[in-house]
Amino acid sequence: MTRYKLSKIIFYIVVAISFISVAIIEIFDTTYEYNHFKKSTEELKKSFFEKEQENLKSEVNRAISLIEYNYQKQEELVKTDLKQRTYEAYNITLNIYNKYKNKKSKEEILELIKNSLRNVRFFDGYGYYSIYDFSGKTLLHGFNSEYENNYKLKSYVDINGKNSIGRIIDVAKEKKEGFVNWRFLSPKENTEENKKGYIKVFEPYNFIIVTADYISRIEKLLKEEALDRIRKISYDKKGYVFVLNKQGTILAHKYRKEIENKNINEVTNIKEKEILNILVNSVKSNTEAFISYSWFRPNTDILSDKLTYVKTFEKWNWIIGTGVYLDNMYEFLEKQEEALKLKMIYRLFYSLVFFLIISILIFYITKKISKNMDKTFSLFIDFFKKANTDNKKIDLKDIKFYEFSELAICANKMIETRVKNEEEIENKNKEVLINLSLLNEYKKAVDASAIVSKTDKEGVITFANDEFCKISGFKRDELLGAKHNLVKHPDTKKEVYKDLWSTILDKRVWKGVLKNRTKEGKTYYVKSSIVPILDVSGSIKEFIAIRYDVSDLINQEKRIRLQITDHLTKLPNRQKLLEDLENKDDLILAIFNIQRFKEINEYYGFEVGDKLLIELANVLQKKIDDNTVLYKLQGDEFALLTSKDKISLEEFKTLCAEILTSIKNLCFLIDSNKLEINLVVGISSEKNYFINAEMAKNHTKIENKELIVLDENKDIKESLILNINWTQKLKKALSEDRLVIFAQPIISNIDNKINKYECLVRMIDEDGTIISPFKFLNIAKKAKLYHALTQTVILKAFKYFHNKEVDFSINLTLEDILHKPTVALLENKLKEYPGISQKLILEIVEDEGIENYQDVSNFIETMKDLGCKIAIDDFGTGYSNFDYLMKLNVDFVKIDGSMIKYINQDLNAKIVTELIVSFTKKLNIKTIAEFVHSKEIHEIVTDMGIDYSQGFYLGEPKAIE
């Protein structure tokens, strides 16, 4: 049989493997570069196309939003115009009535009114005035005088079978004035169309004044305005928006005005007609669509590929669209493709050169190593041929490889130890006998204190001591012949056992803690050492496992870890922070709070909120170094703790400010929801770190700041202590019934007699001092005691005034109106004291703006139904406005004292007050001047026509009890 030299075989194998490897790597690299090139090209196309689609969609939606906005604004304007026209007719009627009521008969006055209104036209000739009485008789008809002084219109029924006069009379009876919709003949087209009108009852003669406009005229104006705005839309140089209806009529086209108002069938260009048909058909089954086609660029003969997006505007059956030419995309992609191709060629060339150089080096080095190996093998062959007969050693100077040198040393020692081996074998036999005896003693000791088992090479249990049976709950005959899977816990990962077997099969000892379970399914933990037992030949014969029960230690560690770790973020929690703060000096603590986090939980759900907390924890962790520790506190709060010897207070403050800025500029993407949050932070480096930082954090909301350092704001703590003292004082006053009612008289400016009283709350201090509500009202709101104050005023005021023949008023804030228990108490007291509602005035203190308008309106209507009167307090400053007076059904307006106080000096205050008085008189609302502090002021407000006055000049508040 032919034999080959090992050195040559190694040489050829290495060279062959090297060249094959180089070839494979080069092929792989070429394939990878080509695939990467193709993928990059496709991604560029896809990205460009998607971006263009989004742009088109955005432009069309912007145009539709513009139309919707104009539609809504026009609707509001039409209602305002209708109401204004009706009021103009009403005022004309009222002026004629007032002028002639004592000079002419009713018939003569009515004729004057009709002549004044009959020829008035507005709304492009579509608008006119009509007057009807409650019997359905037409007194005036500005469109057709044939209807006047008869009942023809009373029997008029529109195409829907509805009687318009009947609907007008119903609204007039129910509300006295309001909006009404009906159908009637158009004054120009003489066809029946929808109308919207506003009616108002003229009470002296008990007839109804009506003004109306035609919906078709309004909608026509809206459409013309919308099309004009769309024609002016321009974007990205030549970008424009076009409009056509679902019947195929072109309504607006920036560059093709000659085809506007033409139907598809009237278009002569076949290509253009085909595209218009595609656009119309694309939205028959869907509300929007993307269409690709070729068309000429604006004002050129250049035909280009175009992408168009169309969307329907269902209110008017319009199709609104815009498009983009794709030439730029093709040019851009072509350039990018060329760049990618050139980059790929260069990479392939350089990699080919590199692999060629590597191959030459490998060939040269392998050749040289092969020659040296051949020479060394020859030396060893000669040595082993003579080893049995000659004790000559190998000369180490002729060997160049370290491994062969070590092998030569071993070969030389083999001859030296040959004689000694027999003596050593005899000595070792004696030692073995002694060791076996000792091992038996050791076994007894281990068996008594540890859990011991043995298995064969396949893991089958061959021995189990009593401790193993005791802890596992299995009998010995159940364990023997089984595998340790019998006690394996399902929670233990497969990787643990994979590592275990890999270690012991490599003849190494494995150590670790394993989670097992008993026969009854209970969990226990063992600290294990598994030792492979080798035979004489060094092969594994069996395995022995020695274990100790550490269940108590593991469970205790778990309990400790749970107590000081936040389960959501895995950060140390509030308990851990308090432990770290205990008995330590020179620390700096910052507490962060997420603003309006409750709204995120309510709107997006708690799952999104939890994920946001985890993401924020990760961001904050990256912002700090090893000198600072991050904690997760309760709810939406985090904390940072550091030491003054590692960072100064000013540096720590700068770090916190940078964190606030970075979080403010960061957008969190949680389950496809883009969330932006703001943080506030309180910082303290003084003892009682946690309480001080909490105070600073809470004060950020009061002062509307993002960051406050308590060390720099000593007054915060003083203010808090003062608030606490006032809170305790207020609670005690409530419990000891030291909140009393003071009543201030309100004087009629007609006869200067007391007409009513306003109930004001005061607190009697323990020393008898009377305390103004200015001292404790804000504290009451913060301490959640405000509603108790209001309820105390209600109870005491009702008890005192129920048997008095005089009106009285109680102040209610928006907070009171929205507080169901307070409203329920008010309603119960109104029922308990029959007739008291006719004397009660509820003053709404409107100091924060009415956000819950509907709730307030409902409250007012409920109280009015029960017989109460309503007043708006402090009117003329703050958030008060005339819109509220028109919307809310109130009886009195109390003009704010800040205007009345200086009305004799401040011209602006006087002008505003006169405006309020004039406006309220038209709405039949009585006025009350507050803070009348002198005779001069009283005379001025009386001359201005204000109905009532209140102030220290006319009467100071006095206790009612």
Side-chain angles (χ1 to χ4, degrees), residues 664-679:
K664 187 187 298 181
N665 297 329
L666 188 63
C667 182
F668 293 88
L669 186 62
I670 310 293
D671 294 344
S672 301
N673 299 303
K674 292 183 178 179
L675 304 177
E676 295 179 356
I677 60 173
N678 291 322
L679 304 181

Side-chain angles (χ1 to χ4, degrees), residues 504-518:
I504 62 178
L505 289 175
D506 195 34
K507 303 175 184 177
R508 293 180 288 122
V509 177
W510 184 88
K511 292 183 179 181
V513 176
L514 290 174
K515 184 178 182 181
N516 290 340
R517 65 178 177 182
T518 66

Side-chain angles (χ1 to χ4, degrees), residues 167-229:
R167 294 175 68 188
I168 290 170
I169 292 171
D170 289 342
V171 173
K173 286 180 179 178
E174 183 182 351
K175 301 180 180 179
K176 301 296 185 184
E177 62 178 289
F179 289 99
V180 186
N181 294 324
W182 72 91
R183 292 181 64 85
F184 195 66
L185 298 174
S186 168
K188 293 190 177 182
E189 288 77 9
N190 204 30
T191 57
E192 190 176 285
E193 295 183 9
N194 288 321
K195 296 186 72 174
K196 178 182 284 291
Y198 192 83
I199 65 101
K200 182 170 177 65
V201 176
F202 185 70
E203 292 179 339
Y205 289 163
N206 205 31
F207 60 63
I208 308 162
I209 301 172
V210 182
T211 306
D213 196 1
Y214 286 86
I215 302 299
S216 60
R217 186 194 74 85
I218 299 168
E219 194 163 281
K220 183 180 178 182
L221 288 174
L222 284 172
K223 287 180 178 180
E224 288 174 356
E225 184 180 351
L227 291 172
D228 188 52
R229 283 176 175 267

Side-chain angles (χ1 to χ4, degrees), residues 644-853:
K644 290 180 183 177
D645 59 358
K646 294 176 181 176
I647 183 172
S648 69
L649 176 60
E650 194 59 37
E651 290 171 332
F652 188 69
K653 179 181 174 183
T654 302
L655 170 64
C656 292
E658 290 172 353
I659 289 173
L660 293 180
T661 303
S662 64
I663 296 300
K664 187 187 298 181
N665 297 329
L666 188 63
C667 182
F668 293 88
L669 186 62
I670 310 293
D671 294 344
S672 301
N673 299 303
K674 292 183 178 179
L675 304 177
E676 295 179 356
I677 60 173
N678 291 322
L679 304 181
V680 294
V681 60
I683 302 172
S684 175
S685 64
E686 294 183 353
K687 269 287 191 180
N688 294 324
Y689 304 102
F690 190 87
I691 294 172
N692 290 337
E694 272 283 318
M695 271 194 285
K697 179 210 61 177
N698 292 337
H699 224 71
T700 59
K701 299 173 183 177
I702 298 171
E703 296 191 14
N704 197 23
K705 293 182 178 179
E706 291 183 334
L707 184 150
I708 289 181
V709 181
L710 190 75
D711 310 52
E712 302 170 355
N713 297 268
K714 301 294 185 182
D715 57 321
I716 292 177
K717 188 178 288 189
E718 295 172 4
S719 173
L720 182 65
I721 292 169
L722 184 64
N723 288 348
I724 291 170
N725 291 337
W726 271 107
T727 301
Q728 292 172 346
K729 187 178 286 190
L730 183 57
K731 284 182 177 178
K732 194 171 183 183
L734 279 167
S735 66
E736 295 176 358
D737 195 25
R738 285 191 282 105
L739 285 171
V740 298
I741 303 299
F742 275 52
Q744 185 174 27
I746 298 173
I747 308 299
S748 169
N749 289 336
I750 295 174
D751 55 14
N752 288 327
K753 293 182 180 179
I754 296 174
N755 185 268
K756 54 184 73 65
Y757 288 91
E758 180 181 2
C759 295
L760 305 169
V761 67
R762 299 288 188 268
M763 185 168 79
I764 308 299
D765 209 348
E766 290 177 300
D767 61 0
T769 304
I770 298 171
I771 300 173
S772 166
F774 174 77
K775 293 279 189 179
F776 58 83
L777 274 185
N778 285 334
I779 301 297
K781 290 181 179 180
K782 293 177 183 176
K784 309 296 184 185
L785 299 172
Y786 184 75
H787 297 305
L789 295 186
T790 303
Q791 292 170 15
T792 299
V793 172
I794 292 172
L795 292 171
K796 293 193 174 187
F798 273 61
K799 183 178 180 181
Y800 179 79
F801 282 102
H802 80 278
N803 57 1
K804 305 288 188 298
E805 294 301 323
V806 66
D807 290 356
F808 68 101
S809 66
I810 295 174
N811 290 306
L812 294 179
T813 64
L814 298 181
E815 193 174 345
D816 292 321
I817 292 171
L818 299 176
H819 188 244
K820 293 181 179 179
T822 299
V823 176
L825 175 67
L826 182 61
E827 291 175 345
N828 290 336
K829 288 298 168 184
L830 288 170
K831 294 175 183 176
E832 182 181 338
Y833 297 107
I836 198 170
S837 62
Q838 307 301 321
K839 299 183 287 183
L840 176 61
I841 303 167
L842 298 173
E843 293 189 19
I844 299 176
V845 182
E846 187 259 310
D847 58 353
E848 297 177 353
I850 299 178
E851 293 181 358
N852 305 75
Y853 168 76

Side-chain angles (χ1 to χ4, degrees), residues 302-313:
I302 302 171
L303 193 66
S304 300
D305 288 344
K306 188 175 184 181
L307 174 66
T308 294
Y309 172 73
V310 290
K311 186 174 182 179
T312 59
F313 183 63

